[in-house]
């Protein structure tokens, strides 16, 4: 069965960078886009962008352009999301999700990674 | 930027029907999907492509769309359905995903 397993919680200082990983199993990694979504405490989900593991192509939400990089290592079926120049309002749970179908419905999600930005 | 609007909260008695709306400009031209999120858990897809239900999702969950409003209906609501629900659509003009504002469903 499909599993997306993310890396553990991180605590970072303002201005630092964080890199979250998402290891996929149970399906052909290069066959599905992966999206990254974050959710600040008490807030709804916020879409960050996607990556096509087959081509490496990406599309980032305008809000994160210049600060985020999504990448993959197909040899180990793992996707990464790096967010730079962290601010306190980047404190959130970050999720990866597998894209299914024409409407980018995310049919499988990782367990989430809490990133806390605090001085 | 594209926005999807949902009512903040819906209350329903056990066994009754809960309906959650999601409205957005030109949503009629896009597919909508719905997620259920319980406290401390990852979202779970319950409806995709407006009306389709993933395997394993109970039949009491259904989706529909009329004009620019999508609706998630839960028939015979159970206490286990108490959760936050989010709609989501794909803005093909920007290739970006957009989530709705979210609806807290309370079963009491």
């Amino acid at each position: 069965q499909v599993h997306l397993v993310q890396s553990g919680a991180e605590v970072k200082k303002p201005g630092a960078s964080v890199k979250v990983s998402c290891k996929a199993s149970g399906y052909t990694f290069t066959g599905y886009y992966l999206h990254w979504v974050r959710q600040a405490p008490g807030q709804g989900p916020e879409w960050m962008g996607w990556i096509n593991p087959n081509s490496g192509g990406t599309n980032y939400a305008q809000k994160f352009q210049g600060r985020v990089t999504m990448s993959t290592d197909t040899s180990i079926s793992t996707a990464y999301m790096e967010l730079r120049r962290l601010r306190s309002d980047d404190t959130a749970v970050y999720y990866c999700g597998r894209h299914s179908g024409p409407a980018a419905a995310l049919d499988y999600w990782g367990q989430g990674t809490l990133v806390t930005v605090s001085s | 930027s594209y926005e999807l609007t949902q009512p903040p909260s819906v209350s329903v008695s056990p066994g009754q029907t809960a309906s959650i709306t999601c409205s957005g400009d030109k949503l009629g031209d896009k597919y909508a999907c719905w997620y259920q999120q319980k406290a401390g858990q990852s979202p779970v897809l319950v409806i995709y492509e407006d009306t389709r239900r993933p395997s394993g999702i109970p039949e009491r969950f259904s989706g529909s769309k009329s004009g620019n409003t999508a609706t998630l209906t839960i028939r015979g609501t159970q206490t286990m359905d108490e959760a936050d629900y989010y709609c989501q659509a794909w803005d093909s003009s920007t290739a970006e995903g957009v989530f709705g504002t979210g609806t807290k469903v309370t079963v009491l």
Side-chain angles (χ1 to χ4, degrees):
Chain A
Q1 61 273 42
V2 175
H3 287 294
L4 298 174
V5 179
Q6 299 183 222
S7 49
E10 304 261 14
V11 179
K12 297 292 183 180
K13 294 193 181 303
S17 299
V18 69
K19 193 170 186 177
V20 179
S21 67
C22 170
K23 183 170 177 59
S25 62
Y27 71 98
T28 302
F29 181 65
T30 52
Y32 296 80
Y33 286 30
L34 276 171
H35 294 237
W36 289 90
V37 173
R38 77 177 186 180
Q39 190 168 27
Q43 303 298 310
E46 179 178 31
W47 184 82
M48 298 182 69
W50 55 255
I51 184 164
N52 177 350
N54 189 48
S55 67
T58 56
N59 188 47
Y60 305 140
Q62 195 166 12
K63 173 178 181 176
F64 299 103
Q65 286 182 8
R67 274 209 310 146
V68 71
T69 300
M70 297 175 188
S71 59
T72 59
D73 183 341
T74 56
S75 69
I76 55 172
S77 300
T78 299
Y80 302 93
M81 187 284 300
E82 181 181 33
L83 189 62
R84 300 178 292 278
R85 302 191 299 276
L86 290 168
R87 308 184 292 253
S88 58
D89 62 358
D90 290 319
T91 294
V93 177
Y94 289 76
Y95 295 99
C96 58
R98 192 183 80 160
H99 171 142
S100 175
L106 303 183
D107 59 351
Y108 290 93
W109 293 64
Q111 83 277 20
T113 297
L114 175 62
V115 175
T116 303
V117 183
S118 173
S119 55
Chain B
S1 62
Y2 192 70
E3 296 181 354
L4 295 172
T5 302
Q6 302 178 231
S9 62
V10 167
S11 295
V12 59
S13 300
Q16 298 305 300
T17 296
S19 294
I20 307 166
T21 58
C22 171
S23 300
D25 185 39
K26 297 183 181 179
L27 183 58
D29 298 334
K30 311 175 194 301
Y31 279 123
C33 61
W34 292 90
Y35 301 94
Q36 176 195 69
Q37 187 177 32
K38 297 182 179 179
Q41 298 183 19
S42 303
V44 173
L45 181 68
V46 295
I47 294 289
Y48 66 102
E49 293 176 15
D50 295 339
T51 60
R52 302 181 70 175
R53 195 172 50 248
S55 61
I57 300 301
E59 291 183 8
R60 63 180 181 273
F61 290 89
S62 64
S64 62
K65 193 167 68 178
S66 177
N68 291 327
T69 299
T71 301
L72 173 68
T73 301
I74 311 172
R75 291 184 169 81
T77 305
Q78 301 182 11
T79 54
M80 68 173 65
D81 300 329
E82 193 162 274
D84 294 323
Y85 290 83
Y86 297 95
C87 61
Q88 183 228 312
W90 182 252
D91 186 349
S92 57
S93 66
T94 59
E96 296 187 9
V98 178
F99 287 92
T101 50
T103 299
K104 183 175 184 61
V105 170
T106 302
V107 182
L108 42 67

